[in-house]
Amino acid sequence: SSNRIFRSSIHRASLLFGRRQQTLSSTASAEISITTKNEERTVGLPPTWEDLTSTLEKVKVSSESSSPTPLVTLYRDTNGWCPFCERVWLALHIKNIPYQEVLVNLQDKPAWFLAMVPTGLVPAVLFHDDLINNESSSSEKGNDDDDEDKAAKAQPGRRLVWESLDIMKELDKSFPDTPRLVQEDNADYMEARSIATSMTTAGFQYAYAGKNKTLTEEDKASKKDEFNAALDKFDEFLGQNKDAGPFALGSSVSGIDEFNT
Ligand SMILES: N[C@@H](CCC(=O)N[C@@H](CS)C(=O)NCC(=O)O)C(=O)O
């Protein structure tokens, strides 16, 4: 099953890097061939750290140079492991929306964050409506170390959204000229999202089963089987689209491509 998980991550990486080909022009072909090379050695090694670092560096430069004015603030975990934050982070990059980040220590959440976000969870996104609606007429003062400035309530004309799916929907709505990621009117999208959600749930249950002392070895084995079955289902879904690709739903990117972080 680890090979399958690995194949899925390679698939996701190639989708992202593949898309970057549109924005990175001539430099992208090197990344594509790196990805292809790794896909060929599916049972072998993941991309090297150097492959990933050099690709990310180029992506960073490409998005920063398009517009330096942040139109949203992403509140995410300090350590960068939160998959829900990664989902939003990827959405911002796919849409090429300039953003700034405020890091939140989940081990010791600051009072301003708990007062600002009802669930107390990351991610949350502050939409700079004053700038989004009239990008040229305002100047951004940028990030400030002052706690007051990190909180949405201190910033009139701005709107805070939490819950990753709700954030993605709002990103679609507020930036209508960018790829629409949440396509709830598309039956393929809904099918893929349901398969992907089951896969994520089964994955978490399997991952945590090892630490759960109340489970028998048999229980743990069945969690593993359920995860394998969920992976097979998602593989099968991707397989149906293999000719249409390169994205999960065919020729254009959707929330499914960044849902499975
Ligand atoms: N349903 C939420 C889940 C967000 C979530 O669980 N975030 C975790 C980090 S991965 C968190 O903030 N944990 C802090 C805590 O539980 O106090 C979403 O999709 O945004």
Side-chain angles (χ1 to χ4, degrees):
S1 68
S2 60
N3 282 341
R4 249 171 313 174
I5 301 169
F6 174 66
R7 272 212 302 280
S8 282
S9 20
I10 286 298
H11 175 77
R12 287 198 302 278
S14 64
L15 293 177
L16 284 169
F17 296 161
R19 184 196 168 271
R20 290 293 165 199
Q21 193 172 22
Q22 295 159 11
T23 48
L24 291 177
S25 66
S26 60
T27 54
S29 52
E31 268 65 51
I32 302 308
S33 63
I34 287 166
T35 310
T36 307
K37 201 171 71 197
N38 282 318
E39 262 178 331
E40 279 165 7
R41 47 181 167 126
T42 297
V43 292
L45 300 167
T48 65
W49 192 248
E50 287 72 29
D51 290 349
L52 293 173
T53 309
S54 68
T55 303
L56 280 177
E57 278 310 308
K58 284 165 196 156
V59 170
K60 220 161 111 194
V61 169
S62 121
S63 61
E64 277 173 4
S65 60
S66 61
S67 170
T69 308
L71 298 181
V72 301
T73 303
L74 169 62
Y75 298 86
R76 69 163 177 89
D77 65 305
T78 307
N79 298 323
W81 53 251
C82 167
F84 306 98
C85 299
E86 289 169 2
R87 181 183 295 176
V88 172
W89 177 80
L90 286 169
L92 293 170
H93 278 262
I94 288 168
K95 289 171 173 291
N96 212 11
I97 298 168
Y99 66 96
Q100 62 189 10
E101 286 180 312
V102 175
L103 302 182
V104 177
N105 178 356
L106 297 184
Q107 255 63 59
D108 181 20
K109 292 180 203 165
W112 61 262
F113 181 77
L114 291 171
M116 182 178 82
V117 183
T119 56
L121 300 177
V122 289
V125 165
L126 183 68
F127 286 75
H128 304 183
D129 286 336
D130 49 338
L131 301 175
I132 295 168
N133 299 332
N134 191 6
E135 218 183 312
S136 55
S137 70
S138 191
S139 68
E140 172 63 32
K141 65 185 161 80
N143 235 345
D144 199 297
D145 282 343
D146 191 302
D147 278 359
E148 278 282 287
D149 283 326
K150 288 180 182 159
K153 60 179 162 50
Q155 307 190 19
R158 301 195 169 186
R159 187 169 39 109
L160 187 78
V161 181
W162 55 96
E163 281 296 317
S164 58
L165 184 59
D166 290 336
I167 294 169
M168 281 163 55
K169 287 181 184 173
E170 278 307 316
L171 289 171
D172 282 347
K173 227 192 264 177
S174 296
F175 299 93
D177 297 334
T178 64
R180 195 162 68 95
L181 296 178
V182 183
Q183 303 173 15
E184 291 179 344
D185 52 352
N186 175 347
D188 283 346
Y189 170 89
M190 292 308 280
E191 186 194 350
R193 193 168 84 180
S194 149
I195 295 171
T197 304
S198 309
M199 185 176 73
T200 307
T201 306
F204 273 114
Q205 286 183 354
Y206 172 49
Y208 286 111
K211 287 187 180 167
N212 187 337
K213 293 195 173 71
T214 65
L215 294 180
T216 64
E217 285 309 309
E218 209 172 87
D219 292 335
K220 289 176 193 170
S222 84
K223 297 277 174 221
K224 186 177 181 178
D225 289 345
E226 282 162 25
F227 184 37
N228 273 330
L231 285 170
D232 282 342
K233 225 171 162 202
F234 194 67
D235 266 353
E236 201 182 303
F237 180 88
L238 292 177
Q240 287 164 12
N241 269 316
K242 67 177 182 304
D243 297 329
F247 298 102
L249 297 185
S251 59
S252 50
V253 69
S254 74
I256 303 304
D257 299 301
E258 49 81 81
F259 188 74
N260 303 298
T261 51

